[in-house]
């Protein structure tokens, strides 16, 4: 950009001139909103020309304050198409009533997505994945004529720190039978010095042992803090020694029936709630103006 400078002693002010503004190009809307990293997105969605119109599937994982969202999607010119969707708001169906954004919930969402997707394509019996959580490294191998469903992890703008919850979703999806390229270096329990993965530590994290131990510590040392911090657990009657069993039962329930809940049928004559003000007739508008005039004149 062409800029000029004005010096006032030790301070130099950059003045953007007309040439700068004439050449300025506005960035994409989702870049301006800070929602999409287009540098990463391009590399995730661009497909080789010799593969023609073959979709390039991504495991898209996003976290809100209350919900974990996992989707398998592929890009088209019109926009991304969603193949399968799973959310932590569905977990109460499987017995996980609270703690819907922690690491064990992340694993459960990944497992639910994988089993649901495999069921959709008739791969659920061929690729069962890891049926009992052990935290060990696992990579899907081809069985029979059809290969496992292949996709790559799309982390978006999330920090890919070691032990991050996003890798809990990845581990759940892999254990559920999806083929996702990964290594164990970002999982909880990995030791960078010895270059070894501690499977027992990862299993403990998946089954919420860190939560139960912290609950027990607070219960023993500060009951007021326990009641405040684990109020929803207390309300649901979940005690520290019940955490692991809750998650193992949920994993079994997800494998038994990963299909989404049936949508509620809307009653006949249902009209969605509208927040738009209804259109006024000319007589109503004139009457409204007359009322405003009268109110104004009464004050003055």
């Amino acid at each position: 950009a062409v800029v000029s400078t004005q010096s006032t002693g030790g301070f130099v002010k950059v003045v953007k001139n007309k040439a700068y503004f004439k050449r300025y190009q506005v960035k994409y809307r989702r870049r301006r909103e800070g929602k999409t990293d287009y540098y990463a997105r391009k590399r995730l969605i661009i497909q080789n020309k010799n593969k023609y119109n073959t979709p390039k599937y991504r495991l898209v994982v996003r976290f809100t304050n209350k919900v974990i969202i996992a989707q398998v999607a592929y890009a088209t010119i019109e926009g991304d198409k969603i193949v399968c969707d799973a959310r932590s708001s569905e977990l109460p169906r499987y017995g996980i009533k609270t703690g819907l954004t922690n690491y064990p919930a992340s694993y459960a969402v990944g497992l639910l997505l994988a089993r649901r997707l495999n069921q959709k394509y008739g791969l659920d019996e061929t690729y069962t994945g890891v049926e009992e959580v052990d935290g060990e490294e696992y990579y899907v191998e081809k069985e029979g004529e059809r290969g496992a469903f292949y996709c790559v992890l799309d982390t978006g703008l999330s920090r890919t720190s070691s032990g991050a919850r996003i890798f809990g979703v990845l581990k759940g999806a892999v254990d559920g039978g999806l083929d996702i390229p990964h290594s164990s270096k970002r999982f909880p329990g990995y030791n960078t010095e010895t270059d070894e993965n501690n499977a027992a530590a990862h299993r403990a994290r998946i089954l919420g042992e860190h939560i139960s131990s912290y609950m027990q510590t607070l219960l023993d040392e500060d009951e007021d803090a326990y009641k405040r911090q684990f109020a929803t657990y207390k309300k649901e009657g979940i005690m520290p020694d019940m955490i692991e069993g809750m998650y193992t039962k949920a994993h079994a329930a997800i494998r038994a029936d990963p299909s989404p809940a049936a949508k509620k049928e809307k009653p006949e004559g249902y009209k969605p709630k509208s927040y738009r003000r209804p259109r006024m007739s000319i007589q109503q508008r004139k009457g409204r103006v007359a009322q405003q005039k009268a109110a104004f004149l009464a004050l003055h």
Side-chain angles (χ1 to χ4, degrees):
V2 180
V3 295
S4 60
T5 57
Q6 292 177 349
S7 178
T8 53
F11 176 70
V12 177
K13 182 183 177 184
V14 178
V15 180
K16 297 182 175 72
N17 59 14
K18 186 177 180 181
Y20 168 82
F21 288 106
K22 284 181 76 173
R23 294 166 63 88
Y24 183 78
Q25 183 175 1
V26 178
K27 296 187 187 300
Y28 291 150
R29 176 180 59 82
R30 286 184 65 86
R31 172 62 191 88
R32 298 198 305 269
E33 293 173 351
K35 291 180 178 179
T36 299
D37 177 359
Y38 281 99
Y39 185 87
R41 178 177 169 81
K42 179 188 174 185
R43 284 151 181 79
L44 282 167
I45 69 172
I46 293 297
Q47 182 64 286
N48 294 337
K49 292 289 184 184
N50 62 2
K51 292 184 181 175
Y52 300 96
N53 206 25
T54 306
K56 200 169 188 178
Y57 296 105
R58 308 182 337 266
L59 170 60
V60 183
V61 183
R62 299 291 181 267
F63 288 84
T64 71
N65 287 343
K66 294 184 177 181
V67 184
I68 302 167
I69 304 165
Q71 298 174 328
V72 171
Y74 65 94
T76 67
I77 291 174
E78 293 82 20
D80 283 11
K81 305 291 183 186
I82 307 302
V83 175
C84 190
D85 176 283
R87 294 161 189 254
S88 61
S89 53
E90 299 177 67
L91 295 180
R93 279 177 59 207
Y94 300 102
I96 302 173
K97 303 289 186 183
T98 187
L100 301 181
T101 54
N102 56 26
Y103 194 92
S106 304
Y107 179 89
V109 169
L111 180 66
L112 176 60
L113 179 75
R115 299 313 301 159
R116 185 172 289 173
L117 186 63
N118 280 339
Q119 186 186 59
K120 179 178 179 178
Y121 289 116
L123 296 168
D124 50 335
E125 292 183 8
T126 309
Y127 297 99
T128 55
V130 179
E131 297 196 20
E132 285 190 19
V133 177
D134 54 12
E136 295 283 355
E137 277 192 75
Y138 174 74
Y139 299 95
V140 178
E141 294 180 0
K142 185 178 178 181
E143 295 179 22
E145 294 181 2
R146 299 174 67 191
F149 189 95
Y150 178 87
C151 55
V152 291
L153 180 65
D154 181 341
T155 59
L157 299 173
S158 301
R159 290 283 181 93
T160 51
S161 310
S162 296
R165 293 173 300 166
I166 204 159
F167 298 115
V169 179
L170 168 67
K171 180 62 174 167
V174 170
D175 282 2
L178 297 188
D179 184 7
I180 306 171
H182 69 282
S183 76
S184 60
K185 290 188 177 183
R186 288 295 182 193
F187 290 145
Y190 181 79
N191 190 327
T192 52
E193 293 178 1
T194 60
D195 195 29
E196 290 179 355
N197 180 38
N198 186 342
H202 196 185
R203 181 186 180 279
R205 182 69 66 165
I206 290 168
L207 296 177
E209 285 186 22
H210 60 297
I211 300 167
S212 57
S213 63
Y214 183 55
M215 284 175 75
Q216 191 62 55
T217 303
L218 278 187
L219 195 58
D220 294 340
E221 296 177 3
D222 189 348
E223 197 166 340
D224 290 334
Y226 171 79
K227 287 177 181 176
R228 186 171 58 251
Q229 192 158 344
F230 291 100
T232 52
Y233 286 79
K234 193 170 183 293
K235 184 182 175 183
E236 296 293 342
I238 301 168
M239 297 302 290
D241 58 346
M242 298 164 64
I243 296 287
E244 184 174 330
M246 178 179 75
Y247 287 118
T248 50
K249 286 176 185 175
H251 298 162
I254 286 169
R255 287 182 174 278
D257 180 20
S259 56
K263 290 184 179 178
K264 292 179 182 177
E265 289 188 12
K266 292 173 182 174
E268 198 172 331
Y270 169 80
K271 287 185 180 178
K273 189 173 181 180
S274 175
Y275 294 94
R276 292 178 63 184
R277 192 168 69 176
R279 185 179 175 84
M280 292 192 294
S281 65
I282 186 69
Q283 289 83 7
Q284 288 173 321
R285 287 202 296 274
K286 285 180 178 177
R288 184 166 173 268
V289 171
Q291 283 180 343
Q292 288 175 331
K293 278 184 179 178
F296 179 78
L297 292 171
L299 292 171
H300 298 80

